[in-house]
Amino acid sequence: MNGPWTRLARTQWAPLAALAVLALVAAVLAVTVPSRTADGYDRAAAASLGADGDVRVEARVAGTEGFRSVPTASDMALNSVNWQQLLPSTLRAVVGAPEQSVSTRGDRVPDPSPEPRIVTVSWDDGALKRLRLVAGAPPFNQVSDDSDDDRGREVQIGVSQQVAAKFGYKVGQRLRVGTRRVRITGLYAPVNASDPYWVSRGDMLRWRSGLNGDGVMVHHATALVDAGAYGLLTRADDQLTYTWRFPVRGDALTNERTGAMAADLEAYRAAIKNRSDVFPCEVVTALDARLKSYAGQLRTAKTVLGLAHSGLAAVAAGVLLLAAGLLAERLRPLLATMRARGASLRQLAAPACGLAALAVLPAAALGYGAGRLLGTGPPQAQSVYVIAALVALVLALPAVMIVREHAGVAPAADRREDLAAARTSRRRLVLEALVVVLAVIGVVLLRRRGPAGGDDPLVAAVPVLLGAALGLLVLRVYPYLLRAAGRALKRGRGVVGFLGFARGARQSAIGALPLVVLLLAATVAGFAATVETALQRGQENAAWAAVGADARMAAEQFDPGVLGKVRAVRGVKDAVQARVVNDLRPQSGPARITLIAIDLEAYERIAPGRLPAHPRGALLSPAAARDLGSGPVTLSKPGFDPIRVEPSGRIEDFPGGPGAAFAVVPYRTLKGTQAFPNEVFVRGDPDRAALQAALRASLPPNPAAGGFDQVIEVRRDALKEMTRAPMVDVVNDTFRDATLAGGAFGLLAVLLVLVVGARARGRSIAQLRVLGLSRRQSRNLALVEITPVLLCAVGAGWVLGLLLPGITGPVVDLRPYTGGFAAGNYAVDPAALPALLGALLLAAAAAVAVDRAFDARRDLGGVLRTGE
C-alpha cells in the first residue's frame, strides 16, 4: 500500500478498527448461531425418535408354514439380508445390523395359583448377546433328521433371574408350557439393564402383571432358547411370530435424514408387501407417530427461530452500516476537497470503498474461520450468504453516499441535514411507503399461510419489515418530540436539558441510525420474551389439563377410606375422590358417554378455575350435549345401575382424557355399591413414593378388583417432561442467545456513536466549559443526549416485540410443545421488565463512562487552539 493510503488509514484508525471488530463479531455469529441451531435440531431428532426406536418386519404364521418358507435359523439370517437390501437409502443409513427372533404365543403354565402364569418361548439373537449366565448352563437344543422324533421333545430354556425368584423356579426344573415340555437349564441377567434394547423387551427380564378380560390377574414372562430350538418350534402347528428388527442408531440421526424417513417408511412398507418368496410380512414401527410429532415441533421451531434470526441479522447489518456510515462521515471533508479539485465519482469511491474493504474483508474471513473453529455444529450454507450480504452492504454504503452527495448537487458543506431541520425528499417518501406496503403484504400473506409457512423467507422477513416500518415512523415523530422538549426546557433555569435535546436534534441521519438498531434489538428481545412466556404458560395449562390437580391417583377401585390415607401423606393439603365410568349409554341412541362423578365444590378447591362458576348439576361436554340434548337423561350399561343426569351447564375438557363425550356429575349422584372411587385428585406437594404407598394401602384385598392400571400422575413431573423436551431446549437457548447478541449489538451501536463522535463532542464541550459548564453538567449532558434515542427506540421496539406474536397469528403455533394445548396468551413475563430497565441503565452508564474517559484525556487549551 502506498504512502497516502497508509496515512489515510492511520488517521481513520478508530472507525476502521470499530468496523473491523463489528464485522468480525457479525461473521462469528453468522456461523455459530445457525450451526448451533442445526446441531440442536439433530440432537432433538435423535431424542424425539427415542433410544428404543426401531423398524421391524413381522409376520404371524403357523409353525409348519414358517418351516416351509424359512427352514433353518440360517435362513432367518439370510432373510435379514434380503430385508436390509430393500431398505431405502435414508433408512439404511440410520439403522443398525438386523436382529432376528422367533417367538411363540403366550401359553399358560399349569399352576394351582388362582393367578395364571403365561410364558412365551422366544429365540432372540439380539437378546442372547446382551445377557450373562448367573446359574446353570445355557440352553442347548438339537434337531434330529426325523421330524416325527422331534414332536413333543423337551425344550431347554433359560429364564430371567428375577422371573425365577418371583415364581420360585430352579435350575433343572421341568414345566409344561401349553403343549410343550420344557426344562430350565440356566438363569440369566442383563449385562446392562439400562440398555435401550430392553425397553420393548421387559418380559425377558421381569414379569408383567395385569388383569385379563374377566378381571383376573395374569402374570406374563418370556423364556429364551438357543438357535438350535428353532426346528423344534417350527415343527409344531402353533402360531409363531417372526421378527426382523432394525434398531435405529441415534448417532446417525440428523434433522435432514429425519425429514426423509417418513416417505422412506411408506416406500419400505410397499416393498415388503410386494415380496412373494416368503410368507406375508408387514412393517411395524413406532416411528410414524414420533416422526409426525417431531415434524410439528420442527416446523414451529423453524418459524419462531427464523423470526428471531432475521431480527438478529438485521441488527448486525444495522450496526455494520452505522460503522460504515460513520467512516464515510469522517471522510466527507476529504472527499469534498477531492471533488472540488475535479475528482470523478470513481476516484472518490476508491478511498471510501477501499478503506471499508480493508477493514471488512479480512475481518469477515477471520470471523468465518473462528466460527468454524468453535465447532458449534455442522456448517450451514446460509452462514456464507449472510456474511456475503453484510459485506456487500458495508461496501455499497460509501458508494451510495458518494453518489447522493456528489452527483451534480451542491457541496455537502452547504447542506444542513439535522433531523429536526432536514426536508423530506420525494425519494425518501417513496422508499418509506414501499417499506410499509411490503410489511403489510408480508403480514397478510403469512397469516393466510398459517403454520404451513415453516421456514419460508417471507415469514422470516416480516419482523424486519415491521421493524423498519416502525423505525421510519419513529424517525418521523422523533424530531417533533425533540422540538417540543426543547421548547419546554428552554423556559427552565437549567441549561443541560435544553443543550442535550438541541444537540440530539442536530444529529444527522447516520447519527440517528442507532435508533433503528436499538429498535430492532428491542423487538427481538420483546418477541423472545413474549413467545417464551406464552410457551411456559401453555405448558403449565397443558400440565393442569393432563393431571387436573397437583397430583392424581387412579386404579380400578379404591376402598372407602382412601381419602383419609391420602390426606395423611406429608405434603398433601387436600384431596377429593372421583369415579370414572366408561361406555354409558342413554335409553335410546348410539351415543357412548363417559361419566365422571366428583364433589364439584371440593374439586374447585383442589383446582381453582377449572370448572364453570357455581356448578349446580351435571356439566356436559359439547359432544355429550350434542348427543344427549339439553333435557334430563338416564345413562346405564350392563353391571352398572341406571343413573339420571340433569344437565346444568357446559364444560370444555376434564383431566384424564375422558374423550369428547363426557358428563361431570356430583358424587352424591352415585348410590349403593356403585359409589366406590377409582380416582383421587390431590392438592399440595407430596412425594411420589409416599403417594404410591398410600395407593397400595387403599386397594381392596381382592386383587382381581384392583391393582391393574394403577396410575400416579404428578403435575410438576408432567410439566418437567414438556419443558425438558429437546426441541424446547433448542428454542429457549436460541431465544436467549439472540436476545443477548441483539442487546450486545445495540450497546455496541451506542458505544460506537459515542466513541467515534467523541472528538467532535469534545470540541463542543470544551467551548461550553469556557462558558462555565462544569464537569458534572457535562456528564449530565451526555445522559440527556442519549436518553431520547434510548427511550424512543427501546420503547417502540419492545412494544413491537410484544405485539409480534399476535401479528404473525397462526404462524407461531406452539401446540406441538404443549401436547396440543393452545398457547395464545402472549403476555410478557413481568420478570423481563427489570432486565429491560437494566439494559437501559447499562447504556446510560456507557455514555457517562465514555464521556469520563475522554474528558480525562482532554486538554482544554489544546482543543481550543487547534481550531479544528
Side-chain angles (χ1 to χ4, degrees), residues 162-163 165-167 202-203 205-209 219-222:
Q162 294 187 21
V163 172
K166 168 67 177 178
F167 296 152
D203 291 357
L205 302 182
R206 62 191 67 88
W207 73 93
R208 173 175 54 88
S209 301
H219 304 289
H220 299 262
T222 297

Side-chain angles (χ1 to χ4, degrees), residues 428-521:
R428 178 181 172 184
L429 288 176
V430 172
L431 180 62
E432 290 178 353
L434 178 62
V435 172
V436 173
V437 170
L438 288 177
V440 174
I441 292 175
V443 171
V444 172
L445 290 180
L446 73 88
R447 289 184 67 90
R448 287 183 177 179
R449 293 188 179 185
D455 56 348
D456 193 315
L458 173 64
V459 176
V462 167
V464 178
L465 293 174
L466 289 175
L470 182 60
L472 294 174
L473 176 63
V474 173
L475 287 177
R476 281 287 184 183
V477 178
Y478 184 65
Y480 298 101
L481 295 177
L482 294 179
R483 289 177 186 175
R487 293 193 198 97
L489 294 173
K490 187 176 181 180
R491 301 186 182 93
R493 294 184 179 182
V495 70
V496 174
F498 172 73
L499 288 176
F501 278 89
R503 284 178 54 81
R506 291 192 175 187
Q507 295 205 6
S508 64
I510 292 296
L513 192 56
L515 186 146
V516 180
V517 174
L518 290 173
L519 187 147
L520 290 174

Side-chain angles (χ1 to χ4, degrees), residues 59-406:
R60 290 177 174 84
V61 297
T64 53
E65 182 181 355
F67 179 77
R68 286 194 298 268
S69 298
V70 188
T72 65
S74 299
D75 293 317
M76 285 287 294
L78 180 61
N79 276 275
S80 297
V81 176
N82 295 334
W83 301 137
Q84 190 173 26
Q85 291 176 346
L86 291 176
L87 286 168
S89 57
T90 302
L91 275 180
R92 188 182 301 116
V94 301
V95 300
E99 299 170 341
Q100 56 268 8
S101 65
V102 179
S103 302
T104 67
R105 65 186 179 187
D107 291 312
R108 180 168 180 173
V109 177
D111 191 274
S113 172
E115 300 177 358
R117 301 176 183 179
I118 305 297
V119 174
T120 298
V121 179
S122 175
W123 168 58
D124 194 310
D125 188 46
L128 294 174
K129 298 176 182 178
R130 294 173 172 86
L131 294 171
R132 58 183 177 86
L133 195 67
V134 295
F140 181 75
N141 295 275
Q142 285 184 324
V143 182
S144 65
D145 296 333
D146 188 354
S147 61
D148 292 334
D149 292 341
D150 292 330
R151 294 184 182 275
R153 276 184 52 187
E154 186 177 69
V155 180
Q156 296 186 13
I157 65 172
V159 297
S160 166
Q161 188 178 28
Q162 294 187 21
V163 172
K166 168 67 177 178
F167 296 152
Y169 294 155
K170 306 294 183 181
V171 174
Q173 184 175 352
R174 287 178 167 83
L175 303 171
R176 179 170 291 278
V177 179
T179 60
R180 291 185 179 87
R181 295 182 299 112
V182 300
R183 182 168 64 90
I184 301 174
T185 63
L187 307 181
Y188 57 77
V191 176
N192 179 14
S194 61
D195 190 333
Y197 182 86
W198 301 115
V199 173
S200 59
R201 294 165 177 78
D203 291 357
M204 296 182 182
L205 302 182
R206 62 191 67 88
W207 73 93
R208 173 175 54 88
S209 301
L211 293 178
N212 62 12
D214 298 328
V216 179
M217 181 66 66
V218 179
H219 304 289
H220 299 262
T222 297
L224 291 178
V225 295
D226 62 332
Y230 176 80
L232 300 178
L233 298 179
T234 55
R235 292 182 180 182
D237 292 331
D238 295 341
Q239 187 183 61
L240 300 178
T241 300
Y242 284 76
T243 303
W244 291 268
R245 174 181 181 265
F246 296 90
V248 175
R249 297 186 295 115
D251 57 344
L253 283 173
T254 63
N255 174 52
E256 183 178 358
R257 288 175 173 173
T258 304
M261 284 179 64
D264 278 5
L265 280 173
E266 292 303 318
Y268 192 49
R269 286 191 174 95
I272 295 297
K273 187 177 181 181
N274 292 332
R275 285 292 299 267
S276 59
D277 56 339
V278 73
F279 41 71
C281 298
E282 62 178 352
V283 176
V284 179
T285 179
L287 296 182
D288 295 299
R290 298 177 185 180
L291 286 171
K292 183 178 179 181
S293 175
Y294 173 76
Q297 294 184 5
L298 179 65
R299 182 176 59 248
T300 298
K302 286 186 174 181
T303 300
V304 297
L305 297 186
L307 298 175
H309 286 165
S310 66
L312 180 58
V315 171
V319 175
L320 285 174
L321 289 177
L322 174 62
L326 291 174
L327 175 62
E329 285 287 313
R330 294 283 294 268
L331 294 176
R332 286 181 69 176
L334 172 64
L335 299 180
T337 303
M338 293 176 62
R339 185 63 170 171
R341 293 177 178 178
S344 65
L345 293 181
R346 174 182 287 184
Q347 291 173 322
L348 294 179
C353 297
L355 282 180
L358 180 65
V360 172
L361 292 179
L366 183 61
Y368 180 82
R372 294 298 307 127
L373 288 176
L374 290 176
T376 55
Q380 302 296 304
Q382 60 180 330
S383 299
V384 179
Y385 301 149
V386 171
I387 293 175
L390 293 177
V391 171
L393 282 175
V394 172
L395 297 182
L397 181 63
V400 172
M401 295 183 66
I402 289 172
V403 172
R404 175 177 175 270
E405 296 190 12
H406 300 287

